[in-house]
Amino acid sequence: MTKNLVLIDHDGSKVAKSAAELATFAKRAGSAVGVLLTNSGTGDSLAAQLNGTDFERVIVVENDEINRHGIAAGTSALAQIIEKEGAESVLISSSARGKEIAGRLAVRIKSGIITDAVDVTADLGTTQSVFGGSFTVKAKLKTPVSIITVRPSSIEPATSTSNPTVEKVTVTIDAKDKLVEISASQPPVKGGRPDLTEAKIVVSGGRGTNGNFAEVEAFADLVGGAVGASRAATDAGWYPHTHQVGQTGKTVSPQLYVACGISGAIQHRAGMQTSKTIVAINKDPEAPIFDLADFGVVGDLFAVLPQAREAIKSKRS
Amino acid sequence: MVAGRLDRESVDAVLNDLDEYAIEEALRIVEPLNEGKETPEHTITLISMGPERATEAIRKGLSMGADSGILVSDAALQGSDAISTAKVLAKTIQSGGFDLVFCGTESTDARMSVVPAMLAEILGWAQLTFAGSVKVDITSNQVEIARMTDSGVENMSAKFPCVVSVIEKINEPRYPSFKGIMAAKKKPIENKSLSDLGLASSELSAWSEVVDAQPRPPREKGLKLEDSGEGGAKLADYLLEKRLV
């Protein structure tokens, strides 16, 4: 049984889905205490969103300097809580910010770090999927504190009938952690669709769309999925780079991945081959994506997708 | 597989795609500042850590227009983790009197993406990472970036010295010209070992231990059918039957 902290990811008003997932991993190993770093006056409403999760306690740090000075300030705050709590592990979501805080923290408190785990066991052993999903690695840290970043959607979070207690704590941010000044921030432009890395279903389009993503989007919307794109599609300017799935883009591991008009170059496979079920639609029967697919249709996505959509709609009703 | 770590030997030492964006961005900042100067006032040094064959990667960066290179190679560095990599790079940077360090955001092999943040932490420099744009004001020693991540865009600034990491879409890296390739052959590449840097290999012990590594089992052969008019309907049946949608 270890004392585990979870850094809670949020956007200032909404707690990320990853928080409850990490609480469930933490509880496997021992205690689950959340750390919420946020601006003054926002702690209570954020902490309330953690009711019914596996957290037994939430430490709220309301300090405007953390958002103003970025990663170094966040690292400092978290390091102070770890020391105060005598924590043995810190679980952090594998977002850009999460991984950077984890990295700086590892250097600062001289702890080992494992990034992008997809599973954490009761003895804080981790499973990672490396080299683009072609290898599975189990590893353990040897330092007194284990810093582990975990990919979103790696576990179905448990629910609890009790609510965590909330504790407010203050921290001091030194000048050396205020070298960066953040002058403005804009939230990401969100459509109505789920985030690519968090989604249970991802529908992706490639060269075969010829730049027309309407059918890909319509299918994604019907099944509540996110929209992805191959590098060929994003390089051609057909879809934003932020939606690129692959080695230089996002790595996704959804329950269902639907590849539409994507040949399945190694670059792309590296970003999606750990998906639970893979469906491929491609005109070319020799496309390498079919080697991965649990279900493949050799055909035109502009015929197959609308027909599948109509069939799902009629069977559902 | 070598005991306790993953063998990266089979991966070619090529200039990491993402590093080319970093080199390109550094060139775009330095070139206008050196314009019309007999001897360049501002220089770019490429620093890499890896086996001897990484020299070729450095040479490519030199042919793009960088001035010199430093390659840290040491048998003790084989299989080093992100923290060790950051420590070695930091030590190399400290020996050079640099103002700015540019990195790619993510190594395409180990996908750690934390090395720039670790570098900033070790050096005690300002961390300006995931930059989608960079502006450097040489008179005030001020760097401004737009940090672009899944959480949105943040405008941030800091004074020299800074660690800057750039994202892929920041620029279009140039192809080395013939003249650049010829010039690169005469540019110096310094080879350093750990002892040259004053680092003992004991300072770089890995803190994690690989317990087990297995190739992912190949996926079982799935169903594949030709669409002869009802491919979509069959796809729908499959998804509904498996309760996937």
Side-chain angles (χ1 to χ4, degrees):
Chain A
M1 296 294 276
T2 47
K3 291 166 94 171
N4 313 299
L5 293 179
V6 170
L7 179 64
I8 293 162
D9 201 3
H10 64 88
D11 65 4
S13 58
K14 204 167 174 291
V15 164
K17 255 174 55 186
S18 61
E21 297 166 4
L22 294 178
T24 298
F25 277 128
K27 205 176 166 190
R28 264 190 193 173
S31 63
V33 176
V35 179
L36 195 49
L37 308 176
T38 188
N39 283 340
S40 46
T42 60
D44 290 328
S45 65
L46 285 168
Q49 294 171 38
L50 298 165
N51 287 345
T53 63
D54 271 334
F55 285 111
E56 60 222 41
R57 188 156 56 94
V58 177
I59 297 169
V60 175
V61 180
E62 293 186 325
N63 186 325
D64 295 353
E65 287 180 334
I66 296 169
N67 269 341
R68 221 177 90 203
H69 301 295
I71 305 295
T75 305
S76 164
L78 188 54
Q80 290 171 56
I81 306 290
I82 291 166
E83 197 185 350
K84 187 171 167 289
E85 290 284 314
E88 291 154 281
S89 87
V90 189
L91 304 184
I92 301 177
S93 175
S94 281
S95 60
R97 176 183 161 83
K99 283 205 264 188
E100 289 197 320
I101 288 181
R104 290 194 75 130
L105 189 65
V107 172
R108 190 165 296 202
I109 66 170
K110 298 188 171 53
S111 277
I113 172 174
I114 284 174
T115 52
D116 292 327
V118 293
D119 192 28
V120 183
T121 58
D123 62 350
L124 297 176
T126 60
T127 304
Q128 289 161 290
S129 162
V130 301
F131 294 152
S134 53
F135 269 79
T136 302
V137 175
K138 292 190 193 300
K140 261 199 93 158
L141 291 166
K142 301 184 281 190
T143 46
V145 183
S146 296
I147 302 170
I148 301 168
T149 82
V150 184
R151 289 236 180 99
S153 299
S154 292
I155 196 173
E156 193 61 43
T159 51
S160 156
T161 47
S162 61
N163 296 334
T165 55
V166 177
E167 182 188 344
K168 297 221 170 154
V169 169
T170 56
V171 297
T172 317
I173 310 294
D174 293 336
K176 74 172 175 66
D177 291 316
K178 296 187 200 172
L179 299 173
V180 170
E181 191 79 35
I182 299 174
S183 54
S185 56
Q186 303 93 43
V189 186
K190 289 223 181 197
R193 302 193 181 97
D195 277 350
L196 197 48
T197 48
E198 286 191 349
K200 287 203 168 115
I201 299 177
V202 174
V203 185
S204 287
R207 213 184 289 275
T209 62
N210 269 316
N212 179 358
F213 266 66
E215 281 303 332
V216 171
E217 288 182 336
F219 194 78
D221 289 343
L222 176 75
V223 298
V227 175
S230 71
R231 184 166 180 164
T234 57
D235 279 357
W238 296 342
Y239 223 70
H241 275 279
T242 45
H243 289 259
Q244 187 192 320
V245 172
Q247 190 154 29
T248 51
K250 303 263 161 62
T251 303
V252 299
S253 193
Q255 297 297 320
L256 172 64
Y257 189 87
V258 186
C260 311
I262 293 176
S263 66
I266 188 84
Q267 209 286 131
H268 186 74
R269 293 160 69 136
M272 46 65 76
Q273 63 183 344
T274 57
S275 304
K276 308 292 178 298
T277 300
I278 296 172
V279 166
I281 305 163
N282 203 299
K283 275 188 192 165
D284 174 10
E286 303 302 323
I289 192 76
F290 286 122
D291 297 339
L292 290 183
D294 298 285
F295 191 91
V297 181
V298 181
D300 183 0
L301 69 97
F302 291 101
V304 175
L305 280 178
Q307 189 181 62
R309 200 153 38 90
E310 287 314 312
I312 291 169
K313 262 196 237 165
S314 70
K315 298 228 161 104
R316 271 182 184 170
S317 58
Chain B
M1 185 70 213
V2 184
R5 62 176 177 81
L6 284 175
D7 184 10
R8 296 204 165 83
E9 201 58 28
S10 54
V11 184
D12 275 339
V14 288
L15 185 57
N16 192 320
D17 264 0
L18 298 162
D19 291 340
E20 290 186 27
Y21 298 94
I23 296 170
E24 178 64 38
E25 198 58 28
L27 286 167
R28 287 184 190 195
I29 286 159
V30 162
E31 280 171 346
L33 297 171
N34 282 334
E35 196 145 311
K37 303 261 164 61
E38 191 70 22
T39 41
E41 216 173 293
H42 307 277
T43 57
I44 299 172
T45 302
L46 306 177
I47 298 174
S48 183
M49 189 187 111
E52 294 287 345
R53 60 206 161 94
T55 307
E56 282 166 48
I58 294 184
R59 197 69 72 187
K60 181 171 183 201
L62 294 177
S63 64
M64 287 172 72
D67 300 281
S68 61
I70 301 172
L71 175 64
V72 185
S73 300
D74 202 305
L77 289 173
Q78 273 190 34
S80 44
D81 58 9
I83 296 185
S84 303
T85 304
K87 279 183 183 168
V88 171
L89 293 176
K91 205 71 175 183
T92 316
I93 291 161
Q94 277 162 338
S95 67
F98 301 106
D99 298 305
L100 288 172
V101 171
F102 286 86
C103 326
T105 295
E106 192 160 312
S107 145
T108 50
D109 81 335
R111 300 192 73 86
M112 279 287 270
S113 78
V114 295
V115 171
M118 286 175 168
L119 257 184
E121 175 76 22
I122 298 169
L123 292 167
W125 292 14
Q127 177 191 335
L128 298 171
T129 46
F130 287 92
S133 69
V134 181
K135 262 192 277 175
V136 176
D137 181 348
I138 205 82
T139 51
S140 62
N141 289 347
Q142 172 108 347
V143 184
E144 259 181 65
I145 69 151
R147 173 184 169 92
M148 296 180 182
T149 67
D150 285 349
S151 335
V153 181
E154 288 173 294
N155 300 94
M156 48 177 74
S157 61
K159 297 269 187 199
F160 290 177
C162 306
V163 176
V164 179
S165 82
V166 303
I167 60 170
E168 199 186 339
K169 65 180 167 201
I170 191 168
N171 57 40
E172 190 65 52
R174 67 193 66 183
Y175 287 104
S177 64
F178 180 70
K179 202 176 142 214
I181 293 168
M182 295 314 284
K185 293 186 174 166
K186 292 191 208 110
K187 291 176 178 173
I189 299 178
E190 196 182 341
N191 284 286
K192 290 193 176 196
S193 67
L194 281 187
S195 60
D196 293 337
L197 292 171
L199 268 173
S201 53
S202 59
E203 290 174 67
L204 303 173
S205 59
W207 285 329
S208 66
E209 188 173 37
V210 174
V211 185
D212 179 45
Q214 295 291 338
R216 190 183 155 82
R219 297 185 80 97
E220 274 178 40
K221 199 100 190 108
L223 294 163
K224 186 165 132 190
L225 57 92
E226 247 1 280
D227 177 28
S228 46
E230 71 295 332
K234 288 197 170 141
L235 171 60
D237 287 343
Y238 173 83
L239 295 174
L240 291 163
E241 213 169 278
K242 292 249 171 189
R243 298 176 175 278
L244 288 163
V245 295

